[in-house]
Amino acid sequence: MVIKNVTLETVCGYKSTLPDNSLPEIAFAGKSNVGKSSLINVLMERKSLARTSSQPGKTQTINFYRVNDDMYLTDLPGYGFAKVPEKEKQKWGRMIENYLNRSRQLRAIFLLIDIRHNPSENDRLMYEWMVYQGFNPIIIATKLDKIKKSQLAKQLKAIRTGLNVEPGTVIIPFSAVTRQGRDEIRDLMEVIVKGEPDPHELPVRNNKEEAAAAVKSETKKEEDSEE
C-alpha cells in the first residue's frame, strides 16, 4: 500500500453519532501507552497525524482517517489506563462496543500488544470480547526495538499463550523506531480493503488459496524465528 493522501475526517466523542461511511474501515485498538499513535504515524508516513504523548490515555475519541480515498483507518480510544476515572473508562468501553457493533463497513481489527510484557488482564479481556463479537483480531506486537532478537520467539509465544489466540491468528512484530513490520501491516491492510472480506472472518483475499498462503507465510516466519 502506497500512502498518497490521508486526512482526519471525523472525530466522534461519547455522544457523537457514528458516520455512515461508504468505504471499508480497519480499526486499531490497544491499551494506553502501547504505541498506537506512533504506529499510525509510521503507517501513514506522517510525523504528527495521530498525537503522541507521554501521558497515556490521550486518545479519548474515535478518530476516522480517510486514506487514499479507498478506506478509513479507525483509531479507537486506548483502554486500561489506571489514572483515568472509572466513569471515563466505562464511556470509552461503550464507545468501542457501540462502534464494533454498529459499523457496517468494519473489515478487520488490529489489536496492539506490547511485546515486552505478557498480555495484561485488560488485553486478554479485550481480545476475548472481540472474538465473542465474532471478529478474529490481527495482533501487532509493538515496541520490538525494546527487546533483544534472542527474546523474540519467547515473547511471541507469551502473547499467543497469554491471549489464548484462535488458530491461524496472525501476529506481526512492529517497531516505530526501525519501522520493522510496517510493510507487512500495510500489505495486509491492502489485501483486506481490496478483498472486502466478511468482517466476522479472518481477513481473506478474493482468492482464498492466496489468503491461506499469506497466513501460512506469516506463521512460518514466526516458527523460523523460534528455531
Side-chain angles (χ1 to χ4, degrees), residues 196-221:
E196 298 187 354
D198 187 312
H200 295 85
E201 296 179 356
L202 182 71
V204 296
R205 307 180 191 220
N206 287 328
N207 184 329
K208 291 189 176 181
E209 291 182 358
E210 195 176 358
V215 171
K216 184 177 180 181
S217 174
E218 289 294 337
T219 303
K220 188 176 187 306
K221 288 178 184 178

Short mmCIF file of all heavy atoms in Angstrom, two decimals, residues 196-221:
data_model
loop_
_atom_site.label_atom_id
_atom_site.label_comp_id
_atom_site.label_asym_id
_atom_site.label_seq_id
_atom_site.Cartn_x
_atom_site.Cartn_y
_atom_site.Cartn_z
N GLU A 196 -12.34 -7.17 0.40
CA GLU A 196 -13.65 -6.98 1.02
C GLU A 196 -14.13 -8.24 1.72
O GLU A 196 -15.19 -8.78 1.41
CB GLU A 196 -14.68 -6.54 -0.01
CG GLU A 196 -14.33 -5.21 -0.64
CD GLU A 196 -15.44 -4.69 -1.54
OE1 GLU A 196 -16.41 -5.43 -1.76
OE2 GLU A 196 -15.33 -3.56 -2.01
N PRO A 197 -13.36 -8.73 2.71
CA PRO A 197 -13.78 -9.93 3.43
C PRO A 197 -14.92 -9.66 4.37
O PRO A 197 -15.22 -8.52 4.70
CB PRO A 197 -12.52 -10.29 4.23
CG PRO A 197 -11.87 -8.96 4.47
CD PRO A 197 -12.12 -8.16 3.22
N ASP A 198 -15.57 -10.73 4.79
CA ASP A 198 -16.59 -10.64 5.82
C ASP A 198 -15.91 -10.17 7.09
O ASP A 198 -14.91 -10.74 7.52
CB ASP A 198 -17.22 -12.02 6.04
CG ASP A 198 -18.40 -11.96 6.99
OD1 ASP A 198 -18.26 -11.33 8.06
OD2 ASP A 198 -19.45 -12.55 6.68
N PRO A 199 -16.43 -9.11 7.77
CA PRO A 199 -15.76 -8.59 8.96
C PRO A 199 -15.76 -9.55 10.13
O PRO A 199 -15.07 -9.34 11.11
CB PRO A 199 -16.58 -7.33 9.29
CG PRO A 199 -17.91 -7.57 8.69
CD PRO A 199 -17.63 -8.35 7.44
N HIS A 200 -16.51 -10.63 10.04
CA HIS A 200 -16.55 -11.60 11.12
C HIS A 200 -15.70 -12.82 10.82
O HIS A 200 -15.81 -13.85 11.47
CB HIS A 200 -17.99 -12.04 11.39
CG HIS A 200 -18.85 -10.91 11.89
ND1 HIS A 200 -19.47 -10.03 11.03
CD2 HIS A 200 -19.15 -10.50 13.14
CE1 HIS A 200 -20.15 -9.14 11.75
NE2 HIS A 200 -19.96 -9.40 13.01
N GLU A 201 -14.83 -12.70 9.83
CA GLU A 201 -13.93 -13.79 9.50
C GLU A 201 -12.50 -13.27 9.48
O GLU A 201 -12.26 -12.06 9.43
CB GLU A 201 -14.26 -14.37 8.11
CG GLU A 201 -15.64 -15.02 8.05
CD GLU A 201 -15.92 -15.56 6.65
OE1 GLU A 201 -15.08 -15.35 5.75
OE2 GLU A 201 -16.97 -16.17 6.46
N LEU A 202 -11.53 -14.19 9.48
CA LEU A 202 -10.15 -13.79 9.29
C LEU A 202 -10.05 -13.10 7.94
O LEU A 202 -10.64 -13.58 6.95
CB LEU A 202 -9.24 -15.02 9.30
CG LEU A 202 -7.75 -14.77 9.16
CD1 LEU A 202 -7.21 -14.11 10.43
CD2 LEU A 202 -7.01 -16.06 8.88
N PRO A 203 -9.37 -11.95 7.84
CA PRO A 203 -9.28 -11.24 6.57
C PRO A 203 -8.81 -12.18 5.45
O PRO A 203 -7.85 -12.92 5.59
CB PRO A 203 -8.22 -10.16 6.85
CG PRO A 203 -8.34 -9.93 8.32
CD PRO A 203 -8.66 -11.26 8.91
N VAL A 204 -9.53 -12.15 4.33
CA VAL A 204 -9.21 -13.03 3.22
C VAL A 204 -9.10 -12.22 1.94
O VAL A 204 -9.59 -11.11 1.83
CB VAL A 204 -10.30 -14.12 3.02
CG1 VAL A 204 -10.36 -15.02 4.21
CG2 VAL A 204 -11.67 -13.49 2.77
N ARG A 205 -8.45 -12.81 0.95
CA ARG A 205 -8.42 -12.22 -0.37
C ARG A 205 -9.57 -12.81 -1.18
O ARG A 205 -10.21 -13.76 -0.76
CB ARG A 205 -7.08 -12.53 -1.07
CG ARG A 205 -5.86 -12.16 -0.23
CD ARG A 205 -4.60 -12.49 -0.98
NE ARG A 205 -3.45 -12.39 -0.10
CZ ARG A 205 -2.28 -11.88 -0.44
NH1 ARG A 205 -2.11 -11.43 -1.65
NH2 ARG A 205 -1.29 -11.83 0.41
N ASN A 206 -9.77 -12.27 -2.36
CA ASN A 206 -10.77 -12.86 -3.24
C ASN A 206 -10.40 -14.30 -3.55
O ASN A 206 -11.23 -15.18 -3.68
CB ASN A 206 -10.88 -12.05 -4.55
CG ASN A 206 -11.57 -10.73 -4.30
OD1 ASN A 206 -12.44 -10.63 -3.44
ND2 ASN A 206 -11.19 -9.71 -5.05
N ASN A 207 -9.09 -14.54 -3.69
CA ASN A 207 -8.59 -15.88 -3.90
C ASN A 207 -8.26 -16.49 -2.55
O ASN A 207 -7.29 -16.14 -1.90
CB ASN A 207 -7.31 -15.82 -4.77
CG ASN A 207 -6.80 -17.20 -5.12
OD1 ASN A 207 -6.97 -18.15 -4.36
ND2 ASN A 207 -6.18 -17.31 -6.28
N LYS A 208 -9.08 -17.42 -2.08
CA LYS A 208 -8.92 -17.96 -0.73
C LYS A 208 -7.63 -18.76 -0.59
O LYS A 208 -7.03 -18.80 0.48
CB LYS A 208 -10.13 -18.81 -0.36
CG LYS A 208 -11.39 -18.00 -0.19
CD LYS A 208 -12.52 -18.83 0.40
CE LYS A 208 -13.75 -17.98 0.65
NZ LYS A 208 -14.84 -18.76 1.25
N GLU A 209 -7.17 -19.40 -1.65
CA GLU A 209 -5.91 -20.13 -1.58
C GLU A 209 -4.76 -19.17 -1.36
O GLU A 209 -3.83 -19.44 -0.62
CB GLU A 209 -5.70 -20.93 -2.87
CG GLU A 209 -6.68 -22.08 -3.03
CD GLU A 209 -6.41 -22.86 -4.29
OE1 GLU A 209 -5.49 -22.49 -5.04
OE2 GLU A 209 -7.12 -23.85 -4.52
N GLU A 210 -4.85 -18.00 -2.00
CA GLU A 210 -3.82 -16.98 -1.83
C GLU A 210 -3.83 -16.46 -0.41
O GLU A 210 -2.78 -16.22 0.19
CB GLU A 210 -4.11 -15.83 -2.81
CG GLU A 210 -2.94 -14.88 -3.00
CD GLU A 210 -3.26 -13.84 -4.05
OE1 GLU A 210 -4.35 -13.89 -4.63
OE2 GLU A 210 -2.40 -12.97 -4.27
N ALA A 211 -5.02 -16.29 0.17
CA ALA A 211 -5.13 -15.83 1.56
C ALA A 211 -4.52 -16.84 2.51
O ALA A 211 -3.79 -16.48 3.44
CB ALA A 211 -6.60 -15.61 1.91
N ALA A 212 -4.82 -18.12 2.29
CA ALA A 212 -4.29 -19.16 3.16
C ALA A 212 -2.77 -19.18 3.09
O ALA A 212 -2.09 -19.37 4.10
CB ALA A 212 -4.85 -20.52 2.74
N ALA A 213 -2.24 -18.97 1.90
CA ALA A 213 -0.79 -18.95 1.73
C ALA A 213 -0.17 -17.78 2.48
O ALA A 213 0.92 -17.90 3.05
CB ALA A 213 -0.43 -18.87 0.24
N ALA A 214 -0.87 -16.63 2.48
CA ALA A 214 -0.36 -15.45 3.18
C ALA A 214 -0.29 -15.69 4.67
O ALA A 214 0.69 -15.35 5.33
CB ALA A 214 -1.25 -14.24 2.88
N VAL A 215 -1.34 -16.27 5.23
CA VAL A 215 -1.37 -16.55 6.66
C VAL A 215 -0.31 -17.59 7.01
O VAL A 215 0.40 -17.47 8.01
CB VAL A 215 -2.78 -17.06 7.09
CG1 VAL A 215 -2.74 -17.55 8.53
CG2 VAL A 215 -3.80 -15.95 6.93
N LYS A 216 -0.17 -18.62 6.16
CA LYS A 216 0.81 -19.67 6.41
C LYS A 216 2.22 -19.08 6.40
O LYS A 216 3.09 -19.46 7.18
CB LYS A 216 0.68 -20.75 5.33
CG LYS A 216 1.61 -21.94 5.56
CD LYS A 216 1.37 -23.01 4.51
CE LYS A 216 2.29 -24.21 4.74
NZ LYS A 216 2.07 -25.25 3.71
N SER A 217 2.45 -18.12 5.49
CA SER A 217 3.75 -17.48 5.39
C SER A 217 4.10 -16.73 6.66
O SER A 217 5.21 -16.81 7.17
CB SER A 217 3.78 -16.52 4.20
OG SER A 217 4.98 -15.80 4.15
N GLU A 218 3.11 -15.99 7.22
CA GLU A 218 3.36 -15.24 8.44
C GLU A 218 3.66 -16.18 9.60
O GLU A 218 4.54 -15.94 10.42
CB GLU A 218 2.12 -14.37 8.79
CG GLU A 218 1.90 -13.21 7.86
CD GLU A 218 3.02 -12.18 7.96
OE1 GLU A 218 3.70 -12.14 8.99
OE2 GLU A 218 3.21 -11.44 7.00
N THR A 219 2.90 -17.29 9.66
CA THR A 219 3.11 -18.26 10.73
C THR A 219 4.49 -18.90 10.63
O THR A 219 5.18 -19.10 11.62
CB THR A 219 2.03 -19.36 10.66
OG1 THR A 219 0.74 -18.75 10.75
CG2 THR A 219 2.18 -20.34 11.82
N LYS A 220 4.91 -19.21 9.38
CA LYS A 220 6.22 -19.84 9.18
C LYS A 220 7.35 -18.91 9.62
O LYS A 220 8.36 -19.35 10.18
CB LYS A 220 6.40 -20.23 7.71
CG LYS A 220 7.67 -21.07 7.48
CD LYS A 220 7.76 -21.53 6.04
CE LYS A 220 8.92 -22.50 5.85
NZ LYS A 220 10.20 -21.94 6.33
N LYS A 221 7.19 -17.60 9.36
CA LYS A 221 8.22 -16.64 9.76
C LYS A 221 8.44 -16.71 11.26
O LYS A 221 9.55 -16.65 11.75
CB LYS A 221 7.81 -15.22 9.36
CG LYS A 221 7.89 -14.95 7.87
CD LYS A 221 7.42 -13.55 7.57
CE LYS A 221 7.40 -13.28 6.08
NZ LYS A 221 6.89 -11.92 5.76
#
